Amino acid sequence: MQNLLLCISLALIGGLLMSRLAKKVGLPAVTAYLITGLLLGPYFVGRLGFPGIGFHSMEEVSAFGIISDTALGFIAFTIGNEFRLKDLRSMGRQAITVGILQAVITTLVVDLALIGLHLIFPAALSIPSAITLGAIAAATAPAATLMVVRQYQADGPLTRLLLMVVAIDDAVGLVVFSVSFGIANALEQGGISVITVVVEPILEIILSLLLGAVAGFILDWSERYFHSRANRISMSVAFVLLTVGLSMIEFDLGPVHCGFSLLLVCMMTGTIFCNVCETSASLMERLDRWTTPLSILFFILSGAELDLKILRTPVVLLIGVVYIIARSAGKIFGAYSSCAISGCDKKIQKHLGTTLLPQAGVALGMALTAATLSDGTMVRNVVLFSVLVYELIGPTLTKNALFAAGEIHPDEISR
């Protein structure tokens, strides 16, 4: 137990000190936390095996998974608070249009690029894996985006649309991945399951939104019995923990396997709560302060999970580079074209795509599902490589895009 506490405390201290160094070179704090995790991970300090200092193995990092899941729950809950009715009336149509179109366009661009790579090097990557990677490319990491927005207090139409699109992206990505992965399985096994491709992903979204909505209403009802902000914050924390736990439940209804999306459940809880509770704004501000150390630990653990062994494989690097270039082009073009179609401002059209590049946990979860493919290990390694790149440079690109759009005040950069 003492080694566990030492490890957590030193990780937090190291992350905070690294963020001060990052500030001097203009990097976002989230990048500093990821680098800290990488340095404390199994390939650097953790390799030395000193008790309580660093993460000694990937298994040890995985043991902290409950912290990562809890942090994601609070992040999703916070993003859900961006779906206030006044914003939905003005930007809801645009957010839905952009959220769907940019994800689909990204998938198609990556599919075409990787299928083309298959035609040139048939042994490097199969078509089923190429199609699966195209679907995984649609996913965007909400955590890094939110951390950058918080650090620099970004605000404006681009920031508000970005947070909505990132939230919608999880639902869209789930459907796109399920369809693509079903097609990939059909190509390998010669048959397609309507239940797996259509029923299960739609049911997961519906169940997640229903659970989140019920939790949001019950949270608002529960807080009416308390008057102090401390007790209300404690109740909010308890409900986020509750929704994280409930979202991990899985069950079968006949041939249909049912589950929940942690991000969708917590986002919906936050959305309902912010629209029915009159004091939600002040409570969320205080809750953000309480969860800051948890968010820092989340990114440090994410950095420790980055597997550097994949850099030894030339084929992974080749496919990874094509994947990263194609996904970046798809996100930027997809966001630009969908923003133009929905009538967004020119600044939003120009900069939104860049802010959607970060990719992490959701993509890794999809890659784990894809392990059943004949070359599923290749898919996982390519995603790991892309996450390594996107997590280290993505936050900086997001910061630069928001600054160029005029939604980060110059004074915030120097703080």
Side-chain angles (χ1 to χ4, degrees):
M1 183 59 70
Q2 66 269 24
N3 288 341
L4 179 65
L5 292 174
L6 278 172
C7 187
I8 292 175
S9 61
L10 291 176
L12 275 172
I13 293 169
L16 289 168
L17 292 175
M18 184 67 77
S19 70
R20 303 310 297 171
L21 293 175
K23 177 186 172 183
K24 294 184 181 297
V25 294
L27 292 175
V30 60
T31 303
Y33 303 144
L34 289 163
I35 293 174
T36 301
L38 192 62
L39 294 176
L40 292 175
Y43 300 101
F44 290 96
V45 174
R47 195 179 185 89
L48 301 176
F50 295 128
I53 301 177
F55 307 97
H56 303 156
S57 65
M58 285 298 181
E59 290 73 22
E60 188 172 315
V61 178
S62 299
F64 288 91
I66 187 63
I67 294 178
S68 297
D69 289 339
T70 303
L72 270 178
F74 281 104
I75 289 165
F77 183 74
T78 301
I79 291 177
N81 270 264
E82 297 300 322
F83 284 85
R84 296 181 181 272
L85 286 177
K86 61 181 179 64
D87 293 327
L88 288 174
R89 291 191 187 101
S90 60
M91 304 183 74
R93 182 183 64 83
Q94 290 179 335
I96 293 171
T97 302
V98 174
I100 295 173
L101 286 182
Q102 58 83 23
V104 173
I105 290 172
T106 301
T107 296
L108 293 175
V109 170
V110 176
D111 279 346
L112 290 173
L114 293 180
I115 290 173
L117 184 64
H118 164 79
L119 295 176
I120 299 172
F121 303 106
L125 185 72
S126 68
I127 288 183
S129 292
I131 294 173
T132 303
L133 281 169
I136 293 174
T140 299
T145 302
L146 182 62
M147 183 67 87
V148 172
V149 169
R150 279 179 174 175
Q151 180 184 351
Y152 297 106
Q153 297 183 27
D155 189 33
L158 171 59
T159 302
R160 289 191 289 273
L161 181 63
L162 167 63
L163 293 176
M164 288 187 182
V165 170
V166 166
I168 293 170
D169 193 75
D170 184 51
V172 177
L174 176 64
V175 173
V176 171
F177 175 76
S178 297
V179 172
S180 296
F181 186 56
I183 294 172
N185 270 325
L187 290 173
E188 284 201 342
Q189 301 171 11
I192 189 167
S193 170
V194 176
I195 291 177
T196 304
V197 174
V198 180
V199 177
E200 288 183 354
I202 293 176
L203 191 60
E204 180 173 332
I205 292 171
I206 293 173
L207 289 175
S208 299
L209 295 179
L210 284 175
L211 176 59
V214 170
F217 282 116
I218 295 177
L219 172 59
D220 174 60
W221 174 78
S222 301
E223 292 205 345
R224 294 178 185 179
Y225 289 94
F226 301 94
H227 301 289
S228 73
R229 288 180 176 176
N231 286 337
R232 288 187 169 189
I233 289 173
S234 296
M235 183 62 74
S236 298
V237 170
F239 261 79
V240 173
L241 294 175
L242 176 65
T243 52
V244 170
L246 290 176
S247 67
M248 296 178 182
I249 295 174
E250 297 181 0
F251 57 94
D252 292 319
L253 290 175
V256 182
H257 182 73
C258 303
F260 301 93
S261 165
L262 184 153
L263 289 174
L264 284 181
V265 172
C266 294
M267 283 177 189
M268 191 61 177
T269 303
T271 299
I272 295 297
F273 179 65
C274 78
N275 283 289
V276 298
C277 179
E278 296 179 356
T279 59
S280 63
S282 60
L283 286 172
M284 284 307 304
E285 184 179 348
R286 290 173 177 267
L287 186 65
D288 287 345
R289 297 172 187 170
W290 185 89
T291 58
T292 295
L294 193 62
S295 298
I296 294 173
L297 274 177
F298 169 78
F299 288 107
I300 291 173
L301 289 169
S302 297
E305 284 179 324
L306 297 177
D307 192 344
L308 299 185
K309 289 189 296 184
I310 57 173
L311 300 178
R312 303 173 185 169
T313 312
V315 176
V316 172
L317 296 180
L318 170 64
I319 300 172
V321 168
V322 174
Y323 172 86
I324 289 170
I325 293 173
R327 179 179 180 272
S328 300
K331 282 291 180 184
I332 292 171
F333 174 73
Y336 181 87
S337 56
S338 57
C339 283
I341 290 171
S342 58
C344 294
D345 183 82
K346 292 290 184 182
K347 284 185 178 180
I348 297 178
Q349 294 178 31
K350 182 178 180 181
H351 298 292
L352 180 64
T354 305
T355 65
L356 295 173
L357 293 181
Q359 190 175 46
V362 176
L364 290 173
M366 291 177 176
L368 188 62
T369 302
T372 55
L373 294 174
S374 58
D375 54 351
T377 302
M378 176 65 73
V379 172
R380 178 180 177 275
N381 287 340
V382 170
V383 174
L384 280 170
F385 174 67
S386 71
V387 166
L388 175 64
V389 174
Y390 279 126
E391 283 294 86
L392 293 178
I393 68 171
T396 300
L397 294 175
T398 299
K399 181 200 78 171
N400 292 341
L402 292 173
F403 181 75
E407 301 198 0
I408 294 179
H409 194 277
D411 291 344
E412 296 296 334
I413 298 291
S414 58
R415 283 184 184 179

